[in-house]
Amino acid sequence: MSSLNGQCKDDSSDGCSNNKKKYSCFKPVAGEVAGTIASVGANTTVRLPLNFRLFRTSKVRINEDGGIRVEEDGEYFVAFSAVFPNNIFGVIFSVYSPDFSGTAITGNGATVFSELVCLEKGDTVYVTVTTGITPIPAPGIAGILTVVKVED
């Protein structure tokens, strides 16, 4: 593929096997971060420190306090998952993008969330955890946050 007036055109004569095409004009916008928190006290809300870069393209930034900031407007697939000690009840994981997007489904020491959201340049996707009357002891919480722009 090559670009002609901002449009992709087919250059399939590049010798690729199995009729695979190259999409060199598509610039992915994606980021994936992980993080852990050793423990969380009872009746507490904290932002998860999801700031260890697993993957990042040039159009996203990793925030020091946890989360992924996008540098391009568009529709994004947001996914979050985490594990924490079993038998902890009343834990709520909230995903923000930048407004409240939703609550992750939690059960048996694990949580998952995924959704398509519209983001604007400069928006940050991040996750908070709120505990109930039971604190989360060590080893705490380990989580992964993924943000990927859906192709136009």
Side-chain angles (χ1 to χ4, degrees):
M1 301 295 271
S2 61
S3 182
L4 176 65
N5 296 330
Q7 300 293 318
C8 294
K9 72 173 192 166
D10 191 355
D11 283 344
S12 334
S13 60
D14 63 1
C16 291
S17 60
N18 300 326
N19 294 324
K20 291 182 181 176
K21 297 179 181 179
K22 290 185 178 180
Y23 293 95
S24 60
C25 58
F26 174 66
K27 304 287 187 204
V29 179
E32 186 169 50
V33 292
T36 60
I37 189 166
S39 62
V40 181
N43 300 312
T44 304
T45 299
V46 296
R47 185 167 171 164
L48 292 180
L50 301 168
N51 56 15
F52 180 79
R53 182 185 72 168
L54 298 173
F55 179 80
R56 180 183 75 83
T57 63
S58 63
K59 293 285 186 166
V60 298
R61 301 287 177 256
I62 310 302
N63 286 3
E64 286 183 26
D65 60 351
I68 298 173
R69 186 179 77 219
V70 299
E71 297 298 323
E72 192 172 290
D73 295 343
E75 186 175 27
Y76 288 80
F77 176 72
V78 173
F80 168 72
S81 62
V83 293
F84 55 94
N86 284 333
N87 302 320
I88 304 294
F89 301 101
V91 179
I92 299 170
F93 292 88
S94 300
V95 180
Y96 293 86
S97 59
D99 298 321
F100 177 69
S101 287
T103 301
I105 298 171
T106 304
N108 203 24
T111 186
V112 294
F113 175 89
S114 63
E115 184 174 64
L116 287 173
V117 296
C118 290
L119 300 175
E120 296 178 359
K121 180 179 179 177
D123 285 349
T124 297
V125 179
Y126 64 95
V127 180
T128 65
V129 60
T130 303
T131 58
I133 59 171
T134 307
I136 297 176
I141 302 168
I144 295 177
L145 175 66
T146 305
V147 177
V148 179
K149 185 175 182 190
V150 178
E151 186 176 359
D152 295 329

